[in-house]
Amino acid sequence: MEAGRLSFRNMTALAPMVRVGTLPMRLLALDYGADVVYCEELIDIKMAQCQRIVNDVLETVDFVAPDERVMFRTCEREKDRVIFQM
């Protein structure tokens, strides 16, 4: 992969699917050889309302909505390999 440019040539990806783009599934796909993984499609206004929280227990970064729902969770292991869909 070139710096700053994403090419899907000769790559294996976990394609976007409804309710299947959560962190555990993304990590499983990486374990099974995916080069990139997609998160679930998220709504921009909902993300703008979120608070970024570092979760030391799970070693994740969580984006939490005002109603305390985790809208997006990521971790160091998928850094540079997750495609954030908004």
Side-chain angles (χ1 to χ4, degrees):
M1 189 165 35
E2 297 174 34
R5 192 159 186 206
L6 182 61
S7 169
F8 289 96
R9 191 171 305 198
N10 298 318
M11 289 183 91
T12 302
L14 171 67
M17 296 179 283
V18 176
R19 297 189 192 102
V20 185
T22 58
L23 182 61
M25 183 62 183
R26 295 192 313 262
L27 294 178
L28 185 63
L30 292 172
D31 287 345
Y32 277 88
D35 297 303
V36 294
V37 292
Y38 283 79
C39 75
E40 296 178 296
E41 189 175 295
L42 299 165
I43 307 299
D44 60 345
I45 191 71
K46 195 68 152 168
M47 290 306 297
Q49 297 169 348
C50 288
Q51 181 179 1
R52 182 184 184 274
I53 298 174
V54 176
N55 185 327
D56 294 322
V57 174
L58 297 177
E59 297 180 1
T60 62
V61 176
D62 301 342
F63 291 83
V64 182
D67 63 2
E68 299 186 7
R69 283 185 43 208
V70 175
M71 300 307 299
F72 178 69
R73 176 173 280 158
T74 189
C75 66
E76 185 68 27
R77 201 166 132 218
E78 68 174 4
K79 184 179 179 180
D80 298 326
R81 298 174 67 182
V82 63
I83 297 172
F84 184 80
Q85 293 189 97
M86 193 164 21

